[in-house]
Amino acid sequence: MQPSNSLREQIIAQYDAMSAQLQQAARYVLEHPEEVALVSMREVARLAGVQPATMTRLAKYLGLPGYDELRAQHAAALRQGGDGFAAKVRQRVDEGSERGASDTASHMLQGLSAQLAKLCEPDSLRRLEATADRLRSARKVYVLGLRSSHAVAWHFHYVMTLLGERSVHLDGPGGTGGDALIRATPEDVMLVISIKPYATGTMELAQLAKEQGVGIVSITDSEVSPLVALSEQAVFCPTESDSFFHTLTPALAVSEVLCSLLAEFDRPKTLEALQQADEHLLQLNTYSEAIPRRQ
Amino acid sequence: MQPSNSLREQIIAQYDAMSAQLQQAARYVLEHPEEVALVSMREVARLAGVQPATMTRLAKYLGLPGYDELRAQHAAALRQGGDGFAAKVRQRVDEGSERGASDTASHMLQGLSAQLAKLCEPDSLRRLEATADRLRSARKVYVLGLRSSHAVAWHFHYVMTLLGERSVHLDGPGGTGGDALIRATPEDVMLVISIKPYATGTMELAQLAKEQGVGIVSITDSEVSPLVALSEQAVFCPTESDSFFHTLTPALAVSEVLCSLLAEFDRPKTLEALQQADEHLLQLNTYSEAIPRRQ
DNA sequence: TATAGTGTGAAACACATGGATCATTATTTC
DNA sequence: GAAATAATGATCCATGTGTTTCACACTATA
């Protein structure tokens, strides 16, 4: 499904030498070849977040006479790919039979995909919404997730930090993670993430918080999780995988959805917060587009 | 590869009742659905040997608001078929969006599900395997992921720690994260995780490691990511979501698959390591099945 | 044969498209 | 720090777009 492979490779090869805007355009073209073939240049430009003129410039930069040629090549590739569907599936089957590791990987990914799809069931959605609502009403959100759930907790907190200032991550060096709860009030909510086996530390802190009147909501793996008894709201996510360990991918997805729901609730404020974050990070030179020069 | 089957069937059903010109247009549309999606109406009309107005009339005859809708449906069909394997899943997304338009959460989850399914394409699987192989051959594995990628890096490291002792997480308080590289050798490999925007610190550390002869493999978001130039192997994962921020769910899934492939490689050793970990954590009272009693 | 009704083609339209130009702004380079 | 150069954004233009309108031709019925 690539436009005339050589063109695609050419874009990749010349990418590093392009200007920022050109790179942004090129990246979109690489990642959405179908759109290039199917919609107008102006629309592609809009989707890519660049000026229409930039798309023309990209085409010229690649040595093509104009944007029309760029689209023509993508269209040709799409025409081909459409019919070659059966061939592709066959290729996949062949390779699968050759190698075992691919099977493992593919099987696992398909399983995860199915698990996420399953989270769309009405009951899950209802729980997601209710949890988001509860978080929304909080003055502060304390985020707690130890051991395997640390990744999810941290990521939720990270995104919430970009979105505003209400999130407090209950973790830290030297075992001081719980100290932030010192000034917790009933106006606050704690998001607890834990899957089986449930970390003792998580349970203890959660219960302590509850005794302080803090509302508890949780992301956990079962209706019989000990967290359920503590929580006002809970979202359940599958953790089974055919590997040796439990998967956290659905839990992370759930946390991202929660972030999204919270962000969506007050779009103007979200946008403002993101812009602030952008400026801050820009001043700190946090991000770079290329490999930085060192000496 | 048919436009929204129902539309196609509708054309067939109404075909007999059409006038001669309309039939000629309809026949061409049925036989060349890709062209309808890819070229202008006037061009389709020319190819079909009818007047431009006839194409408009055909669309209206089918109950559509105009020709644009006819093309849009063909384009949607082509988009699905184009990516081949993920088509089935994608269709579910479309159907889903029809049903509950207001349901952000459901839409987002289905999108993520589709992205994971897409990772099963042969190219991705090949890259996953190659990356796992490279990691397997390493004496030590340094794991680097800053900012948003921290969650993925940490989780990979955490699982690897349960599986053995080869993993070193390049992070730590007080900005000492990179210090672990002091004794890195060419026998080691660094797993770098970074998505756009790429953290400067990540790029610098990765390049430093490379200069020390450490092999680099990466999980990143594009073929034109600056990490690709540094890496022996790279796995690409989508990060787009319809929320304000990029999603890390596919990246986490990829890291879990990598862990799984590594674990699978030497099952006996893996099992032994896991048992060791179990015993250790048991002695520390790390986990509890119920809400612990406190006083 | 006259006539109402339908199908068809040609032209006109309002608008969106890709491309080009030029002023302004960043970024180098000296 | 100034000059030169490249990159970017805004505007304009000729062309192509989908649609509508209207006149004409054809058909079927009385």
Side-chain angles (χ1 to χ4, degrees):
Chain A
M1 184 53 2
Q2 290 142 6
S4 132
N5 250 333
S6 68
L7 177 56
R8 194 183 153 80
E9 279 163 22
Q10 193 193 342
I11 298 178
I12 294 171
Q14 298 194 246
Y15 183 87
D16 287 325
M18 293 180 193
S19 71
Q21 290 292 300
L22 244 40
Q23 285 191 338
Q24 195 171 334
R27 179 176 274 251
Y28 185 86
V29 170
L30 284 178
E31 285 169 8
H32 302 272
E34 337 81 41
E35 298 306 313
V36 176
L38 290 169
V39 310
S40 75
M41 181 201 76
R42 288 176 124 92
E43 183 67 7
V44 172
R46 208 183 56 75
L47 292 168
V50 301
Q51 291 251 344
T54 306
M55 298 309 297
T56 303
R57 287 170 181 147
L58 174 64
K60 302 243 166 179
Y61 190 92
L62 295 169
L64 304 173
Y67 180 82
D68 271 329
E69 183 60 25
L70 188 68
R71 175 181 29 231
Q73 296 222 21
H74 281 78
L78 201 53
R79 258 186 278 257
Q80 244 187 351
D83 297 329
F85 177 52
K88 215 185 261 178
V89 175
R90 193 160 354 101
Q91 182 189 4
R92 211 179 122 263
V93 172
D94 288 347
E95 287 181 17
S97 63
E98 269 177 33
R99 301 183 168 252
S102 277
D103 268 351
T104 317
S106 172
H107 193 261
M108 199 169 154
L109 286 168
Q110 291 188 31
L112 289 174
S113 174
Q115 284 175 329
L116 291 195
K118 218 170 172 181
L119 280 173
C120 293
E121 281 176 0
D123 183 59
S124 301
L125 294 179
R126 228 175 298 124
R127 290 178 170 280
L128 272 168
E129 265 179 71
T131 306
D133 280 339
R134 188 69 187 86
L135 287 171
R136 184 177 300 146
S137 70
R139 192 184 60 116
K140 269 191 184 174
V141 174
Y142 294 94
V143 187
L144 172 62
L146 301 181
R147 305 201 62 81
S148 66
S149 304
H150 165 78
V152 178
W154 188 88
H155 187 243
F156 179 88
H157 166 73
Y158 175 74
V159 174
M160 289 302 283
T161 302
L162 295 183
L163 257 44
E165 41 182 316
R166 291 166 45 230
S167 177
V168 179
H169 187 203
L170 292 171
D171 194 17
T176 60
D179 294 6
L181 275 179
I182 292 170
R183 265 167 292 278
T185 78
E187 292 173 60
D188 302 328
V189 170
M190 176 188 268
L191 171 65
V192 190
I193 300 128
S194 187
I195 64 172
K196 193 173 178 184
Y198 311 101
T200 311
T202 301
M203 302 307 301
E204 284 174 351
L205 263 186
Q207 197 180 5
L208 176 62
K210 187 178 183 177
E211 286 166 14
Q212 283 186 251
V214 176
I216 311 276
V217 300
S218 54
I219 299 175
T220 188
D221 55 353
S222 158
E223 314 212 19
V224 296
S225 154
L227 271 183
V228 173
L230 298 176
S231 308
E232 296 177 19
Q233 295 291 339
V235 184
F236 303 123
C237 58
T239 62
E240 269 170 56
S241 80
D242 30 36
S243 70
F244 291 99
F245 36 85
H246 289 167
T247 175
L248 273 167
T249 300
L252 186 72
V254 162
S255 87
E256 288 190 331
V257 170
L258 284 179
C259 286
S260 184
L261 291 176
L262 289 171
E264 211 79 40
F265 177 66
D266 190 352
R267 293 179 78 100
K269 194 181 156 194
T270 298
L271 288 170
E272 193 192 345
L274 285 177
Q275 196 176 345
Q276 266 186 20
D278 268 358
E279 281 168 21
H280 178 76
L281 296 174
L282 194 68
Q283 282 178 4
L284 283 178
N285 232 344
T286 310
Y287 297 121
S288 73
E289 275 306 306
I291 306 168
R293 243 179 293 268
R294 297 185 322 99
Q295 39 228 356
Chain B
M1 186 51 9
Q2 291 144 4
S4 136
N5 255 332
S6 69
L7 177 57
R8 195 183 154 81
E9 280 162 23
Q10 194 193 342
I11 298 178
I12 294 172
Q14 298 195 248
Y15 184 84
D16 288 328
M18 293 179 193
S19 70
Q21 290 293 298
L22 244 40
Q23 283 191 341
Q24 193 172 335
R27 173 172 282 258
Y28 184 86
V29 170
L30 285 177
E31 285 171 4
H32 302 274
E34 335 82 42
E35 299 305 315
V36 176
L38 291 168
V39 309
S40 76
M41 182 203 78
R42 286 177 127 94
E43 183 68 7
V44 173
R46 211 182 53 77
L47 292 168
V50 301
Q51 289 258 342
T54 305
M55 299 308 298
T56 302
R57 287 169 182 149
L58 175 63
K60 301 240 166 179
Y61 188 90
L62 295 169
L64 305 174
Y67 180 84
D68 272 329
E69 183 59 27
L70 188 68
R71 186 201 1 250
Q73 296 221 19
H74 281 77
L78 201 54
R79 258 187 278 258
Q80 279 180 21
D83 283 329
F85 171 64
K88 244 202 238 166
V89 185
R90 191 84 61 78
Q91 187 167 1
R92 279 228 301 275
V93 174
D94 290 343
E95 287 175 13
S97 65
E98 268 181 37
R99 204 157 30 92
S102 64
D103 227 337
T104 329
S106 170
H107 194 261
M108 200 171 154
L109 285 168
Q110 289 186 335
L112 288 173
S113 175
Q115 284 176 328
L116 290 194
K118 214 168 168 185
L119 279 173
C120 293
E121 281 175 1
D123 184 58
S124 300
L125 293 179
R126 230 175 294 125
R127 291 178 171 279
L128 271 168
E129 234 182 294
T131 305
D133 280 340
R134 189 67 186 87
L135 287 172
R136 183 177 297 144
S137 70
R139 191 184 61 117
K140 269 192 184 172
V141 175
Y142 293 94
V143 187
L144 172 62
L146 302 183
R147 304 200 62 82
S148 66
S149 304
H150 165 80
V152 177
W154 188 88
H155 188 243
F156 179 88
H157 166 74
Y158 175 75
V159 175
M160 289 301 282
T161 302
L162 295 182
L163 257 42
E165 41 182 317
R166 291 164 46 231
S167 176
V168 179
H169 186 203
L170 292 172
D171 194 17
T176 60
D179 294 6
L181 274 179
I182 291 170
R183 267 167 291 280
T185 77
E187 289 173 62
D188 302 327
V189 170
M190 176 188 268
L191 172 65
V192 189
I193 300 129
S194 186
I195 65 172
K196 194 173 179 183
Y198 311 102
T200 310
T202 301
M203 301 307 303
E204 284 173 350
L205 262 185
Q207 198 181 7
L208 177 62
K210 187 178 184 181
E211 285 166 16
Q212 283 186 252
V214 176
I216 311 276
V217 302
S218 53
I219 299 175
T220 189
D221 56 353
S222 162
E223 310 207 27
V224 293
S225 154
L227 272 182
V228 172
L230 298 175
S231 307
E232 296 176 20
Q233 295 292 338
V235 184
F236 303 123
C237 58
T239 62
E240 267 173 59
S241 80
D242 29 35
S243 69
F244 291 98
F245 35 84
H246 289 166
T247 175
L248 273 166
T249 300
L252 187 72
V254 161
S255 87
E256 288 190 331
V257 170
L258 285 178
C259 286
S260 185
L261 291 177
L262 290 170
E264 211 79 39
F265 177 67
D266 189 351
R267 294 180 75 101
K269 192 179 158 197
T270 298
L271 287 170
E272 192 191 343
L274 284 177
Q275 195 174 346
Q276 266 186 20
D278 268 357
E279 281 169 20
H280 176 76
L281 295 174
L282 193 67
Q283 283 180 4
L284 283 178
N285 232 344
T286 309
Y287 297 120
S288 71
E289 274 307 306
I291 306 169
R293 238 179 297 270
R294 299 185 321 99
Q295 40 230 354

